[in-house]
Amino acid sequence: MSLIDRFSAYAAWRSNVSGAIQHLRSWLTETEVGDAQSDLRLQHLLDRLREDKLVVAFVAEFSRGKSELINAIFFAEYGKRVLPSSAGRTTMCPTELQWESGQTPGVRLLPIDTRARRESMNDLRRAPAEWVFEPFDVRDAGSVERALRRVSETLRVPRAEAERLGFVVDDTGMAGARPDADGQVEVARWRHAIIQFPHPLLEQGLVIVDTPGLNAIGSEPELTLSLLPSAHALLFVLAADTGVTQSDLAVWNNQVNTGRTQRRGRMVVLNKIDGLWDGLRSDTTIESEINRQVSSVAETLGIEPRQVFPVSAQKALLAKVNHDQALLDRSRIENLEHALSHELLPARQQILTESALSEASEIVGRVVELLEARLSGLHEQLREMSDLRGKNQSVIEYMMRKVRTEKEEFEQGLQKYHAVRSVFTNLSNKLLAHIGLDAVRVETRRTREAMLDANFSRDLRGAMVEFFDTLRGNLLKSSQEVTEITTMLDAMYKRLSVEHGLKLAPPTSFSTFRYQREITKLETAFNDQLNSVGTMITQWKGTVTQRFFETIATEARRTFEIANRDVEQWLRAVMAPLETQVREYQLQLKRRLESVKRVYEATGTLEERIDELNQHETVLLRQLEELRGMQGAIERALAPADAAPVAANLAA
């Protein structure tokens, strides 16, 4: 099965899972056994499945064939090149190819001068007015080509302006952009580009990130701190005729092999092997030369040779368009596609499977607990009603007093529950105070003031280091409060189970480790990019401060936003079963009392009440059966399954 077929199968799998979860959500609403919290969690899960993206990033220096490789892997079935591929520079800024329903085909372009402002890329993404939009007609190849060509536009600006915008300028041209005789520097006209293209793969959630060469990208921080680390697969492209050049090595060290990019899904592509097909060398000689180049690349980059994939993107595209299997085999593109599909899709599918299964199982488990509690209460009522058969009024009076006493005792015991609820609220507030966004804002403001007041590089670096220490301290305090909350609720769960027979599973656990790990990765990136003697000496204090808050502080805030959202959801989820069971038990006691009272007052016959309870028992048992059936349907939908090949329909 081809990569395109596998991706389509993945999209179909995601759709099936969404259908099964939506069925569960609708059923909970119709039967009135769900609650607002469960409904919200299922809606979030459905949103996550619907909005799921698979991000594949391509990184390389100029003229390594990135655009042609993207065309060959993803868009050959389209019958033509989607991305422009020609000699020279074709991509001058980070470029995303994506599509969402309702969009207008075209290119969104963010002007380069936004780099000089305080807004982060994340903020600017939500500000459409800041972008220039160039529409195109997908049926007109010329219109598409003209629009996409804008991604390669440049400006010539004075050296000081280039440096203000974050570009590295070097008189030799080795370590940065080289000024011309007039002191002008060529820089990218756009900071970022988003190509909105209605292609079937993009419609299914694929996002392709194409990056420019090292000098063009300058010091665009979002690339190394957010865009590339969030990619599910990252392909580093080299040219077979040059191997690893100094500029290639700089791209590898600065953009690919950093502390924040994941190792899984990272591949090196040795492109343009067709340059060795000169007709003068034998296949054995060509194979030997390719193997030597693969070994050399792997040794230079410090990776295993199996992570290096020699290909010819140009011949692969040609072979796919012309349906030439022999040429396709010689291009070796299928080896790369096979590795990509096995790295990209199963890993992402596993993440979604674990998330969906955990959410759905927990919600189903809570509803099962509720239905079993109702069933247990109903059985208690049936026993009481059956015991009243043939009994006189005094026995019925005794039974009524007994149930009323149980109700009073439970309500007295609720004082402990309310006390725990009060402590839970206080601990929750303390937890949110440490992990919430207000804490990050306060620390960010303090750090900015400290950096602006710093007189020496040591003070500047110290302020930034303290920023990380404070965030880690907040996460550590949060972890301790989570443990305290979990221990307290566990004790309350056990007490209610022993004293009143409530069916409560232990509270779910929560860990702040993933957020601590993200802050550690962020600190590693900070040390690589900003926390160096060279940076402190060569860059003005205001520039360092601005870069820190545009990049590091913004990413830290994003991490805490996720942590804050997850903690709030956990707090609601961990308390909901207890609240639901307490309400349900109160309701059961009230029903038992009313049943005995009705018999005592002769407002309904004993047998009629027993029949009612038996009918209700049938309904509860059917609901339990239906619920377990839906849980099984979700588990079956989550099992990986390949869809039928659909590549032939993609060009339609």
Side-chain angles (χ1 to χ4, degrees), residues 384-446:
E384 290 173 348
M385 294 295 101
S386 298
D387 289 344
L388 292 178
R389 281 181 171 135
K391 299 295 189 295
N392 57 31
Q393 290 291 94
S394 61
V395 173
I396 298 175
E397 284 181 16
Y398 167 77
M399 184 68 71
M400 192 161 55
R401 288 195 302 271
K402 176 176 177 291
V403 177
R404 185 179 287 121
T405 300
E406 284 185 39
K407 185 172 181 293
E408 291 172 354
E409 288 176 352
F410 180 73
E411 288 174 349
Q412 290 174 2
L414 284 181
Q415 294 176 3
K416 297 177 184 177
Y417 162 75
H418 291 306
V420 168
R421 192 70 176 83
S422 178
V423 175
F424 172 82
T425 300
N426 292 333
L427 287 174
S428 298
N429 290 337
K430 288 173 62 179
L431 172 59
L432 292 171
H434 287 127
I435 210 168
L437 298 183
D438 286 343
V440 180
R441 291 190 191 99
V442 169
E443 182 56 25
T444 300
R445 191 182 308 115
R446 186 205 63 77

XYZ file of all heavy atoms in Angstrom, residues 384-446:
520
model
N -36.931 -4.781 49.872
C -37.795 -4.179 50.887
C -39.273 -4.381 50.551
O -40.092 -4.709 51.424
C -37.483 -2.690 51.020
C -36.125 -2.408 51.655
C -35.755 -0.937 51.629
O -36.438 -0.161 50.920
O -34.781 -0.571 52.316
N -39.631 -4.165 49.277
C -41.025 -4.342 48.871
C -41.458 -5.804 49.014
O -42.579 -6.095 49.468
C -41.217 -3.885 47.422
C -41.030 -2.386 47.182
S -42.255 -1.337 48.007
C -41.286 -0.784 49.428
N -40.566 -6.731 48.640
C -40.906 -8.159 48.742
C -41.079 -8.572 50.203
O -41.940 -9.400 50.540
C -39.812 -9.006 48.084
O -39.709 -8.690 46.709
N -40.235 -7.990 51.065
C -40.324 -8.327 52.494
C -41.628 -7.829 53.120
O -42.037 -8.305 54.191
C -39.144 -7.721 53.260
C -37.831 -8.426 52.931
O -37.889 -9.532 52.377
O -36.756 -7.849 53.223
N -42.255 -6.848 52.460
C -43.495 -6.291 53.009
C -44.739 -7.100 52.640
O -45.832 -6.822 53.133
C -43.674 -4.841 52.529
C -42.668 -3.822 53.067
C -42.936 -2.447 52.468
C -42.727 -3.758 54.592
N -44.561 -8.082 51.766
C -45.706 -8.906 51.377
C -46.265 -9.628 52.610
O -45.537 -10.322 53.312
C -45.297 -9.937 50.332
C -45.196 -9.370 48.919
C -44.804 -10.462 47.946
N -44.903 -10.022 46.569
C -43.973 -10.252 45.640
N -42.868 -10.903 45.964
N -44.156 -9.842 44.410
N -47.556 -9.432 52.817
C -48.223 -10.110 53.929
C -47.945 -9.503 55.288
O -48.341 -10.069 56.310
N -47.217 -8.379 55.354
C -46.889 -7.766 56.636
C -47.956 -6.737 57.016
O -48.630 -6.154 56.182
C -45.521 -7.077 56.565
C -44.372 -8.009 56.242
C -44.172 -9.032 57.355
C -42.894 -9.843 57.178
N -42.879 -10.698 56.006
N -48.099 -6.511 58.346
C -49.083 -5.548 58.833
C -48.517 -4.133 58.821
O -47.348 -3.913 58.501
C -49.571 -5.936 60.241
C -48.384 -6.051 61.210
O -47.384 -5.350 61.060
N -48.519 -6.936 62.186
N -49.347 -3.188 59.234
C -48.981 -1.783 59.186
C -47.788 -1.463 60.083
O -46.954 -0.625 59.738
C -50.174 -0.913 59.611
C -51.308 -0.888 58.600
C -50.910 -0.149 57.332
O -50.466 -0.764 56.377
N -51.045 1.169 57.347
N -47.684 -2.142 61.229
C -46.588 -1.839 62.149
C -45.232 -2.181 61.521
O -44.239 -1.472 61.718
C -46.769 -2.605 63.465
O -46.754 -4.012 63.233
N -45.172 -3.278 60.774
C -43.922 -3.652 60.100
C -43.564 -2.612 59.034
O -42.411 -2.226 58.876
C -44.043 -5.050 59.473
C -42.806 -5.370 58.638
C -44.247 -6.097 60.548
N -44.582 -2.148 58.318
C -44.344 -1.148 57.276
C -43.874 0.165 57.916
O -42.981 0.832 57.393
C -45.626 -0.929 56.449
C -46.023 -2.238 55.742
C -45.427 0.185 55.432
C -47.342 -2.161 54.999
N -44.475 0.490 59.082
C -44.026 1.688 59.801
C -42.552 1.560 60.188
O -41.771 2.506 60.078
C -44.871 1.887 61.063
C -46.246 2.441 60.814
C -47.008 2.632 62.117
O -46.358 2.618 63.188
O -48.221 2.776 62.054
N -42.168 0.374 60.682
C -40.781 0.135 61.076
C -39.844 0.307 59.875
O -38.777 0.938 59.980
C -40.638 -1.275 61.654
C -39.194 -1.710 61.791
C -38.386 -1.232 62.825
C -38.634 -2.592 60.860
C -37.062 -1.626 62.925
C -37.314 -2.985 60.953
C -36.526 -2.495 61.983
O -35.201 -2.872 62.082
N -40.243 -0.257 58.739
C -39.421 -0.149 57.535
C -39.264 1.323 57.123
O -38.180 1.770 56.731
C -40.039 -0.946 56.391
C -39.191 -0.964 55.128
S -37.655 -1.903 55.353
C -38.326 -3.564 55.447
N -40.330 2.090 57.243
C -40.282 3.498 56.871
C -39.336 4.261 57.803
O -38.554 5.102 57.357
C -41.687 4.097 56.920
C -41.798 5.470 56.281
S -43.516 5.895 55.876
C -44.313 5.695 57.473
N -39.409 3.945 59.122
C -38.502 4.604 60.070
C -37.047 4.231 59.780
O -36.138 5.060 59.874
C -38.872 4.211 61.509
C -40.162 4.846 62.016
C -40.263 4.726 63.539
N -40.214 3.329 63.980
C -41.282 2.549 64.112
N -42.482 3.021 63.820
N -41.147 1.304 64.537
N -36.824 2.963 59.400
C -35.466 2.487 59.120
C -34.845 3.244 57.931
O -33.699 3.705 57.989
C -35.500 0.990 58.811
C -34.161 0.377 58.416
C -34.307 -1.130 58.235
C -33.005 -1.761 57.758
N -32.658 -1.395 56.380
N -35.623 3.393 56.855
C -35.115 4.099 55.675
C -34.887 5.575 56.005
O -33.889 6.173 55.592
C -36.084 3.953 54.490
C -35.587 4.759 53.292
C -36.239 2.494 54.104
N -35.829 6.158 56.789
C -35.677 7.570 57.150
C -34.418 7.771 57.995
O -33.698 8.762 57.834
C -36.924 8.031 57.906
C -36.898 9.531 58.217
C -38.153 9.986 58.934
N -39.293 10.020 58.023
C -40.406 9.333 58.173
N -40.537 8.512 59.211
N -41.394 9.437 57.306
N -34.136 6.809 58.873
C -32.928 6.895 59.703
C -31.671 6.832 58.836
O -30.712 7.581 59.037
C -32.902 5.758 60.743
O -34.055 5.867 61.570
C -31.642 5.832 61.597
N -31.686 5.902 57.862
C -30.542 5.809 56.944
C -30.335 7.119 56.204
O -29.204 7.583 56.018
C -30.782 4.678 55.932
C -30.585 3.288 56.494
C -30.728 2.236 55.399
O -30.261 2.485 54.261
O -31.314 1.173 55.677
N -31.428 7.723 55.783
C -31.354 8.989 55.051
C -30.768 10.090 55.934
O -29.899 10.866 55.499
C -32.743 9.377 54.556
C -32.807 10.629 53.677
C -34.199 10.797 53.105
C -34.284 12.018 52.206
N -34.135 13.276 52.951
N -31.209 10.145 57.179
C -30.695 11.164 58.102
C -29.213 10.946 58.402
O -28.433 11.898 58.464
C -31.516 11.146 59.393
C -32.942 11.645 59.211
C -33.803 11.432 60.443
O -33.300 10.781 61.396
O -34.956 11.898 60.447
N -28.839 9.660 58.601
C -27.433 9.358 58.876
C -26.543 9.741 57.698
O -25.442 10.272 57.866
C -27.274 7.868 59.197
C -27.832 7.466 60.548
C -27.741 5.968 60.780
O -27.384 5.239 59.808
O -28.024 5.521 61.911
N -27.035 9.469 56.484
C -26.241 9.826 55.304
C -26.096 11.341 55.192
O -25.014 11.852 54.895
C -26.891 9.264 54.033
C -26.138 9.581 52.773
C -24.943 8.950 52.477
C -26.615 10.537 51.882
C -24.243 9.247 51.323
C -25.923 10.844 50.728
C -24.728 10.198 50.442
N -27.179 12.052 55.451
C -27.121 13.506 55.346
C -26.206 14.107 56.409
O -25.530 15.103 56.170
C -28.537 14.088 55.452
C -29.366 13.807 54.196
C -30.812 14.247 54.327
O -31.227 14.571 55.468
O -31.530 14.250 53.301
N -26.165 13.466 57.583
C -25.214 13.913 58.601
C -23.776 13.632 58.157
O -22.874 14.445 58.360
C -25.495 13.203 59.931
C -26.780 13.645 60.608
C -27.092 12.819 61.840
O -26.324 11.926 62.216
N -28.242 13.090 62.466
N -23.600 12.475 57.514
C -22.268 12.136 57.005
C -21.811 13.037 55.875
O -20.620 13.150 55.589
N -22.759 13.698 55.228
C -22.409 14.611 54.140
C -21.600 15.809 54.627
O -20.970 16.489 53.820
C -23.681 15.104 53.431
C -24.357 14.111 52.482
C -25.576 14.753 51.833
C -23.379 13.638 51.409
N -21.645 16.055 55.926
C -20.831 17.152 56.461
C -19.350 16.894 56.168
O -18.594 17.813 55.857
C -21.070 17.299 57.960
C -22.491 17.746 58.312
C -22.726 17.799 59.809
O -21.816 17.551 60.596
N -23.953 18.119 60.203
N -18.948 15.610 56.284
C -17.553 15.265 55.954
C -17.282 15.500 54.470
O -16.223 15.995 54.087
C -17.281 13.797 56.299
C -17.406 13.472 57.774
C -17.181 11.986 58.004
C -17.388 11.620 59.471
N -17.230 10.149 59.680
N -18.276 15.124 53.658
C -18.122 15.332 52.209
C -17.976 16.813 51.880
O -17.112 17.214 51.103
C -19.326 14.741 51.472
C -19.497 15.249 50.058
C -18.662 14.812 49.029
C -20.491 16.186 49.759
C -18.820 15.284 47.743
C -20.651 16.658 48.467
C -19.815 16.204 47.465
O -19.966 16.692 46.194
N -18.820 17.644 52.500
C -18.747 19.080 52.231
C -17.430 19.668 52.734
O -16.890 20.597 52.130
C -19.937 19.798 52.870
C -21.249 19.484 52.215
N -21.451 19.642 50.853
C -22.424 19.005 52.720
C -22.690 19.292 50.546
N -23.302 18.892 51.663
N -16.914 19.110 53.838
C -15.614 19.573 54.339
C -14.512 19.235 53.335
O -13.639 20.055 53.040
C -15.317 18.938 55.696
N -14.581 17.998 52.796
C -13.603 17.600 51.777
C -13.761 18.460 50.529
O -12.774 18.876 49.912
C -13.778 16.101 51.424
C -12.984 15.733 50.172
C -13.350 15.237 52.587
N -15.017 18.752 50.185
C -15.267 19.603 49.012
C -14.646 20.981 49.195
O -14.095 21.558 48.260
C -16.789 19.744 48.806
C -17.193 20.362 47.476
C -16.904 19.395 46.352
N -17.357 19.896 45.076
C -16.677 20.741 44.301
N -15.516 21.211 44.705
N -17.135 21.104 43.126
N -14.718 21.511 50.407
C -14.134 22.821 50.699
C -12.609 22.774 50.606
O -11.988 23.662 50.009
C -14.573 23.270 52.092
O -13.977 24.502 52.416
N -12.020 21.711 51.180
C -10.559 21.566 51.093
C -10.134 21.380 49.641
O -9.116 21.935 49.204
C -10.089 20.372 51.957
C -8.592 20.141 51.766
C -10.396 20.617 53.425
N -10.913 20.603 48.896
C -10.621 20.379 47.479
C -10.608 21.708 46.719
O -9.721 21.960 45.894
C -11.675 19.441 46.882
C -11.592 19.275 45.392
C -10.687 18.384 44.826
C -12.417 20.003 44.542
C -10.604 18.228 43.450
C -12.343 19.862 43.166
C -11.434 18.966 42.624
N -11.581 22.561 46.998
C -11.636 23.863 46.337
C -10.406 24.695 46.663
O -9.813 25.326 45.778
C -12.916 24.615 46.764
O -14.061 23.842 46.396
C -12.990 25.974 46.091
N -9.996 24.697 47.938
C -8.811 25.472 48.336
C -7.549 24.944 47.660
O -6.719 25.719 47.163
C -8.643 25.438 49.857
C -9.743 26.191 50.574
O -10.332 27.119 50.013
N -10.034 25.811 51.811
N -7.401 23.609 47.653
C -6.219 23.019 47.009
C -6.234 23.267 45.504
O -5.187 23.504 44.897
C -6.171 21.515 47.295
C -5.790 21.104 48.721
C -5.935 19.593 48.899
C -4.357 21.529 49.048
N -7.423 23.215 44.902
C -7.542 23.478 43.466
C -7.114 24.907 43.146
O -6.413 25.153 42.156
C -8.977 23.243 42.994
O -9.363 21.908 43.195
N -7.534 25.838 43.980
C -7.146 27.235 43.764
C -5.637 27.418 43.888
O -5.020 28.166 43.113
C -7.874 28.138 44.768
C -9.363 28.230 44.479
O -9.800 28.006 43.352
N -10.156 28.545 45.490
N -5.029 26.727 44.867
C -3.566 26.810 45.017
C -2.863 26.199 43.811
O -1.882 26.746 43.303
C -3.138 26.083 46.295
C -3.488 26.802 47.586
C -3.179 25.944 48.804
C -1.680 25.628 48.908
N -1.385 24.813 50.117
N -3.403 25.070 43.349
C -2.823 24.402 42.182
C -2.889 25.306 40.954
O -1.895 25.487 40.236
C -3.571 23.093 41.927
C -3.261 22.324 40.641
C -1.784 21.962 40.575
C -4.116 21.060 40.552
N -4.052 25.900 40.719
C -4.218 26.769 39.552
C -3.413 28.060 39.688
O -3.015 28.659 38.684
C -5.701 27.080 39.348
C -6.563 25.879 38.916
C -8.039 26.230 38.950
C -6.159 25.403 37.524
N -3.167 28.485 40.928
C -2.342 29.678 41.128
C -0.902 29.425 40.694
O -0.218 30.324 40.198
C -2.375 30.096 42.598
N -0.427 28.180 40.864
C 0.953 27.861 40.482
C 1.088 27.508 39.003
O 2.096 27.831 38.376
C 1.474 26.688 41.328
C 1.765 27.065 42.747
N 1.243 26.376 43.823
C 2.508 28.072 43.267
C 1.661 26.939 44.944
N 2.422 27.960 44.636
N 0.054 26.847 38.468
C 0.170 26.371 37.085
C -0.617 27.248 36.117
O -0.541 27.058 34.900
C -0.317 24.903 36.995
C 0.420 24.154 35.882
C -1.831 24.819 36.811
C 0.203 22.664 35.917
N -1.352 28.217 36.658
C -2.193 29.060 35.825
C -1.416 30.110 35.054
O -0.224 30.351 35.284
N -2.111 30.771 34.151
C -1.472 31.751 33.271
C -1.092 33.026 34.004
O -0.151 33.716 33.602
C -2.410 32.072 32.103
C -2.745 30.887 31.197
C -3.621 31.337 30.046
C -1.476 30.238 30.665
N -1.802 33.341 35.086
C -1.436 34.546 35.845
C -0.025 34.425 36.396
O 0.735 35.400 36.405
C -2.431 34.774 36.989
C -3.766 35.298 36.491
O -3.803 35.792 35.336
O -4.760 35.211 37.224
N 0.327 33.224 36.858
C 1.676 33.013 37.395
C 2.729 33.219 36.316
O 3.796 33.800 36.568
C 1.792 31.608 37.985
N 2.441 32.755 35.101
C 3.385 32.936 33.994
C 3.500 34.415 33.627
O 4.594 34.915 33.364
C 2.953 32.108 32.765
C 3.931 32.297 31.615
C 2.857 30.635 33.121
N 2.372 35.107 33.611
C 2.407 36.539 33.276
C 3.240 37.317 34.300
O 4.036 38.190 33.930
C 0.985 37.095 33.235
C 0.142 36.573 32.081
C -1.163 37.345 31.961
N -2.070 36.691 31.029
C -3.069 35.899 31.391
N -3.296 35.669 32.687
N -3.853 35.336 30.487
N 3.055 37.016 35.585
C 3.818 37.710 36.632
C 5.307 37.450 36.461
O 6.129 38.372 36.532
C 3.335 37.251 38.029
C 4.293 37.747 39.109
C 1.929 37.762 38.293
N 5.665 36.197 36.223
C 7.081 35.859 36.072
C 7.659 36.461 34.800
O 8.807 36.909 34.770
C 7.246 34.329 36.064
C 8.687 33.852 35.957
C 9.591 34.410 37.036
O 9.076 34.772 38.115
O 10.810 34.496 36.788
N 6.869 36.490 33.734
C 7.331 37.093 32.484
C 7.585 38.582 32.672
O 8.606 39.111 32.210
C 6.278 36.874 31.371
O 6.081 35.471 31.187
C 6.739 37.484 30.063
N 6.659 39.246 33.355
C 6.829 40.692 33.607
C 8.071 40.945 34.462
O 8.860 41.854 34.183
C 5.580 41.238 34.294
C 5.535 42.765 34.366
C 4.296 43.249 35.103
N 3.080 42.658 34.559
C 2.288 41.837 35.223
N 2.583 41.498 36.465
N 1.196 41.360 34.648
N 8.268 40.133 35.507
C 9.436 40.309 36.373
C 10.730 40.089 35.598
O 11.707 40.841 35.754
C 9.360 39.324 37.546
C 10.460 39.516 38.585
C 10.727 38.239 39.356
N 11.218 37.175 38.478
C 12.462 37.118 38.019
N 13.340 38.078 38.301
N 12.833 36.119 37.236
